[in-house]
């Protein structure tokens, strides 16, 4: 059996399953201190012996090939986890080989192997939630450079009617600072879910997401672009984003079917754990 | 021996060399009609028998895996070359296996194998000339999605003092439209080379290039970013771009040595043909 951990900043999901993507059992608990959280991880896998483990972790995390701190959480705002050697600890406590990637790369892997991207050569999975991140899986492998991508921080053109200064502490107007859930909340003083009927909110949201997707598209040329995360619960965003993306692209690159290009996930919040299974199965 | 063709829109360079990157002989001639140009190609390789051929082609070109038109020039403004099956014709006329990529990907491959990127795990080569393009080579392989990248068309924030509407017919304010050689010329009515002493010209140029590099960096996380092409003859641009890039990145991702990250090419306009040699040698 293969183990999976979706190691999120607010909760951990542990699961066991098979390489075909079936999940046999799973559990979830809040992310507290490393010791307390990993004790719960150990307890779950004590009941379910595994051969290998796949992990999708919150970040930033060291994924630099050859680094002696490979698999270590880096300078996160979650102080107890700062510089915590997550991969090494899991290998030690569970005595199995561990494959680790970012949370969004494993989500991409899950959709690529078992979900909406099953017949595509490459999938870009974008999560629009508390933060914005994206991960590319191409020809069955996670794409990654010297370290993992930070795609949520691409720089955007501000909308002329948007006076909000951006919520990213590092960049005036990056995608995450302008379009993640907390940016919506900071701009209007109201949570996204309660703004469902305010059309201009979603116009602006689609405007920013379409710009970023245009950049990802011309750079990475993915076959599927999957948009997930809390903010995408606003399903009306999909057609709006597709329309604005096609406007921005302006026929520069042929897109035969934008509805098949920009899509919703198919795995119902299970793309993360299933992606961990796939990651471990391939390693 | 290995053959190389840098198939540019204005000139073709043909060469023969060895897998270590040494060039034995080469020739160059203007790009005219396909028949006339390929007759000259045949004449050159008739004198220099080769086992394989690597080609770096102007675009857009069909590089879609499995396409029956793989290696065909697509909808180029150069009418005689439109939908010309370049790879197929070369295979037929020279009776050798042909490996083909975009001009900028082979330049990247050349610098990666034999030049400034020799000890790096990944190189992004950006050419700033008549157009702007970029190609990524990672772990010895050209990165490519469903088709080749069109990285020159990332969307940028306009500088508040820049009233120029952009020279790209498709996008109001993409990198190519704001910062390629013809954009500089259209903005000021004077060629870039003659504006060498106008500091504000290069401030603006560095501002736009740094923005695009920030996007490439957060998405691709390359180890080396190599800037070449006619406009980069203005060597003062390098320190200006580095400074603006570090300002934009704002410590979000650690960069130990920006002078080692953002660099000039090392192969003196031979990265293209040498990259073709490497591409063929690996295929
Ligand atoms: N129905 C909704 N409409 C708009 N925004 C929502 C909705 N549901 C959740 N969000 C926003 O999504 C964010 C949480 O994203 P989510 O993907 O659920 O979690 P996380 O990114 O922390 O894993 C919050 O900022 C929240 O306000
Ligand atoms: N010294 C220079 N300073 C600024 N711009 C230059 C300089 N030399 C050439 N250029 C510009 O670079 C462009 C040509 O780029 P180049 O890389 O030589 O060719 P191409 O992109 O067509 O292969 C032209 O727009 C030209 O004005
Ligand atoms: Zn940011
Ligand atoms: Zn453009």
């Amino acid at each position: 059996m293969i183990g999976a951990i979706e190691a999120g900043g607010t909760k951990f999901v542990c699961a066991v399953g098979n390489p075909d993507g079936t999940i046999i059992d799973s559990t979830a608990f809040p992310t507290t201190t490393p010791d307390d959280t990993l004790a719960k991880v150990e307890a779950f896998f004590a009941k379910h012996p595994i051969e290998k483990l796949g992990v999708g972790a919150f970040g930033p995390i060291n994924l630099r090939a050859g680094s002696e701190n490979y698999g270590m959480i880096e300078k996160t705002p979650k102080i107890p986890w700062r510089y915590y050697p997550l991969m090494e600890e899991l290998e030690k406590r569970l005595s199995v080989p561990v494959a680790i990637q970012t949370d969004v790369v494993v989500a991409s892997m899950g959709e690529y192997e078992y979900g909406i991207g099953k017949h595509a050569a490459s999938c870009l999975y974008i999560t629009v939630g508390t933060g914005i991140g994206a991960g590319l899986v191409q020809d069955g492998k996670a794409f990654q450079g010297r370290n993992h991508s930070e795609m949520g921080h691409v720089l955007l053109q501000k909308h002329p009617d948007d006076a909000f200064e951006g919520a990213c502490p590092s960049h005036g107007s990056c995608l995450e600072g302008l379009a993640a859930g907390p940016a919506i909340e900071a701009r209007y003083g109201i949570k996204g879910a309660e703004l469902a009927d305010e059309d201009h909110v979603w116009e602006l949201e689609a405007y920013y997401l379409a710009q970023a997707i245009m950049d990802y598209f011309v750079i990475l040329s993915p076959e599927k672009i999957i948009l997930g995360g809390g903010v995408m619960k606003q399903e009306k965003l999909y057609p709006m984003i597709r329309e604005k993306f096609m406007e921005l692209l302006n026929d520069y690159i042929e897109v035969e079917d934008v509805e098949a290009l920009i899509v919703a996930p198919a795995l119902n919040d299970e793309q993360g754990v299933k992606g961990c299974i796939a990651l471990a199965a391939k390693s």
Side-chain angles (χ1 to χ4, degrees), chain A:
Chain A
M1 214 131 69
I2 293 177
I5 305 178
E6 221 187 328
T10 52
K11 77 176 183 203
F12 265 53
V13 182
C14 297
V16 285
N18 294 320
D20 67 2
T22 43
I23 300 293
I24 315 271
D25 194 10
S26 73
T27 185
F29 39 83
T31 308
T32 54
T33 62
D35 259 342
D36 178 55
T37 312
L38 266 67
K40 289 185 183 134
V41 167
E42 281 184 75
F44 177 78
F45 290 109
K47 288 186 302 178
H48 299 288
I50 53 172
E51 294 142 54
K52 314 170 159 190
L53 175 68
V55 180
F58 72 94
I61 177 166
N62 181 338
L63 297 180
R64 290 184 192 89
S67 164
E68 58 178 50
N69 295 323
Y70 189 89
M72 176 184 273
I73 304 284
E74 298 197 303
K75 210 175 158 199
T76 167
K78 287 168 222 307
I79 305 297
W81 289 89
R82 203 172 263 191
Y83 303 117
Y84 186 75
L86 180 61
M87 176 172 151
E88 195 186 315
E89 276 294 326
L90 287 168
E91 278 177 340
K92 210 160 63 189
R93 291 176 188 230
L94 304 176
S95 305
V96 291
V98 176
I100 193 163
Q101 255 299 346
T102 64
D103 40 13
V104 74
V105 165
V106 298
S108 192
M109 187 74 87
E111 292 289 344
Y112 176 94
E113 287 292 332
Y114 315 115
I116 192 78
K118 213 157 39 174
H119 304 290
S122 59
C123 282
L124 181 73
Y125 185 96
I126 308 171
T127 180
V128 190
T130 306
I132 299 183
L136 180 73
V137 172
Q138 183 156 309
D139 300 327
K141 278 177 54 189
F143 170 81
Q144 196 197 274
R146 62 192 261 288
N147 203 351
H148 58 81
S149 298
E150 292 280 1
M151 301 203 205
H153 297 269
V154 287
L155 302 174
L156 302 185
Q157 292 167 12
K158 285 287 292 282
H159 190 285
D161 298 339
D162 185 15
F164 180 60
E165 71 279 13
C168 173
S170 301
H171 316 116
S173 55
C174 68
L175 175 64
E176 177 166 303
L178 291 171
I184 299 174
E185 196 176 334
R187 186 186 283 109
Y188 303 103
I190 305 173
K191 274 198 189 304
E194 284 144 45
L195 290 162
D197 300 327
E198 301 289 331
D199 292 347
H200 65 278
V201 172
W202 310 109
E203 285 275 323
L204 201 64
E205 185 69 13
Y207 174 84
Y208 289 134
L209 286 167
Q211 265 189 59
I213 291 172
M214 162 86 179
D215 289 347
Y216 303 151
F217 187 69
V218 297
I219 294 174
L220 300 171
S221 191
E223 203 169 311
K224 287 269 173 218
I225 297 173
I226 307 163
L227 285 155
V231 174
M232 294 307 302
K233 299 264 145 76
Q234 300 291 331
E235 288 180 19
K236 61 189 156 216
L237 279 170
Y238 292 96
M240 293 169 82
I241 291 167
R242 287 185 194 114
E243 193 189 327
K244 284 187 199 290
F245 166 75
M246 291 302 275
E247 259 173 57
L248 288 172
L249 191 62
N250 198 14
D251 285 335
Y252 187 79
I253 298 170
E254 198 191 348
V255 172
E256 274 167 39
D257 183 357
V258 69
E259 294 191 31
L261 175 67
I262 299 178
V263 296
L267 298 181
N268 264 325
D269 295 331
E270 285 202 314
Q271 51 283 113
V273 279
K274 291 193 174 179
C276 293
I277 301 275
L279 183 71
K282 281 160 186 268
S283 70

